[in-house]
């Protein structure tokens, strides 16, 4: 080795693949489209409005902090802020007011993501942490029954809320729960839509079966142990 030459060695791993953050985030956004379509069908167009507000707020918050911190790389282009916005919206009720969407978005990006160094450095999921924050601050708006435009102007509670209250009447059928004809957070109502998105991510090799399968099996096993209906809880 020539001592007069300097070598720049980067830390491991040294494996290089044609996988980018932008590509992964794009695939995640595509995979979430079926769930958004189901939300519009069963919960009404306001679900699209809530999602748009969250995405816009997340992207704008990221842009502002990128400018304030004078970062050389523009992380907005990798779609990660947009993914956070969609996931946050999917964890909100369709009745969520715009200001709550903005507060949750700013908290997710500024406090949970950027404050810890940006994508890959946050210790918790920004969208889910923002949901927990909103639930702590505005529990009534996050958990209360709400108006459903696409269901003949009725109000309803989630199946788990009905179960917790010991109410057996008005419980949706397995088919309704599978398709999405029930009340819940914007992104959780349709098991079919989520499965379609999951299959797309598997085909694109963005995810593997290990985490989702073990998660679902855990829910089923604990439901059985508690003497509950596993299929109901899975749906």
């Amino acid at each position: 080795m020539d001592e007069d030459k300097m070598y720049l060695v980067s830390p491991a791993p040294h494996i290089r693949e044609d996988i980018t953050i932008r590509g992964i985030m794009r695939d995640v956004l595509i995979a979430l489209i079926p769930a958004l379509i189901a939300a519009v069908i069963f919960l009404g167009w306001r679900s699209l409005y809530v999602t748009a507000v969250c995405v816009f707020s997340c992207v704008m918050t990221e842009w502002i902090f990128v400018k304030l911190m004078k970062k050389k790389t523009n992380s907005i282009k990798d779609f990660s802020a947009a993914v956070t916005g969609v996931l946050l919206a999917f964890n909100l009720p369709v009745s969520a007011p715009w200001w709550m969407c903005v507060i949750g978005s700013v908290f997710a990006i500024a406090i949970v993501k950027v404050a810890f160094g940006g994508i890959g450095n946050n210790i918790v999921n920004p969208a889910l942490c923002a949901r927990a924050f909103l639930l702590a601050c505005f529990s009534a708006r996050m958990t209360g029954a709400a108006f459903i435009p696409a269901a003949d102007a009725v109000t309803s509670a989630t199946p788990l809320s009905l179960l917790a209250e010991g109410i057996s009447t008005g419980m949706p059928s397995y088919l309704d729960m599978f398709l999405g004809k029930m009340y819940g957070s914007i992104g959780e109502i349709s098991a079919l839509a989520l499965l379609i998105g999951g299959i797309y991510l598997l085909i694109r090799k963005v995810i593997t079966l290990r985490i989702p399968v073990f998660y679902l099996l855990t829910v089923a096993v604990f439901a059985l142990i508690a003497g509950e209906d596993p299929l109901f809880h899975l749906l």
Side-chain angles (χ1 to χ4, degrees):
M1 178 176 179
D2 191 345
E3 295 182 357
D4 294 331
K5 293 183 179 180
M6 294 183 64
Y7 293 87
L8 181 62
V9 180
S10 63
H14 303 289
I15 300 173
R16 296 290 181 266
E17 293 187 18
D18 296 329
I19 299 174
T20 63
I21 294 174
R22 180 185 173 93
I24 292 173
M25 294 299 165
R26 182 190 61 239
D27 282 334
V28 172
L29 287 173
I30 293 172
L32 293 173
I33 290 175
L36 183 58
I37 293 173
V40 172
I41 293 172
F42 294 107
L43 299 179
W45 286 101
R46 201 176 192 286
S47 55
L48 190 61
Y49 165 77
V50 171
T51 304
V53 172
C54 287
V55 171
F56 177 80
S57 301
C58 282
V59 172
M60 287 304 299
T61 302
E62 179 119 352
W63 181 82
I64 291 170
F65 274 85
V66 165
K67 294 297 182 182
L68 290 175
M69 298 173 70
K70 297 181 180 179
K71 286 187 175 182
K72 293 181 180 180
T73 57
N74 191 349
S75 56
I76 297 174
K77 294 181 180 180
D78 63 17
F79 298 138
S80 61
V83 168
T84 298
V86 176
L87 292 178
L88 173 59
F90 278 16
N91 278 275
L92 298 178
V94 71
S95 58
W98 67 268
W99 52 265
M100 199 166 78
C101 299
V102 173
I103 291 173
S105 299
V106 173
F107 183 87
I109 299 297
I111 305 299
V112 185
K113 182 182 178 183
V114 177
F116 284 94
I119 187 171
N121 296 309
N122 44 279
I123 60 175
V124 290
N125 182 280
L128 292 182
C129 192
R131 182 196 185 279
F133 172 74
L134 292 175
L135 185 61
C137 296
F138 314 105
S139 58
R141 288 184 177 272
M142 288 289 289
T143 59
F147 174 72
I148 307 177
D152 299 325
V154 297
T155 58
S156 182
T158 66
L160 287 178
S161 298
L162 294 172
L163 183 67
E165 295 173 5
I167 301 174
S168 58
T169 58
M171 194 72 74
S173 65
Y174 288 152
L175 181 60
D176 286 343
M177 296 171 71
F178 181 71
L179 296 177
K181 194 176 180 182
M182 63 177 180
Y183 183 70
S185 298
I186 290 174
E188 72 172 340
I189 58 171
S190 176
L192 174 61
L194 294 174
L195 285 172
I196 292 172
I199 291 170
Y200 172 80
L201 292 178
L202 286 169
I203 293 172
R204 295 287 296 170
K205 297 182 179 180
V206 174
I207 64 171
T208 63
L209 278 172
R210 179 171 54 89
I211 292 177
V213 166
F214 273 93
Y215 184 91
L216 295 173
L217 283 176
T218 301
V219 172
V221 168
F222 275 91
L224 281 172
I225 293 173
E228 300 285 346
D229 182 354
L231 183 57
F232 174 86
H233 285 275
L234 286 172
L235 292 172

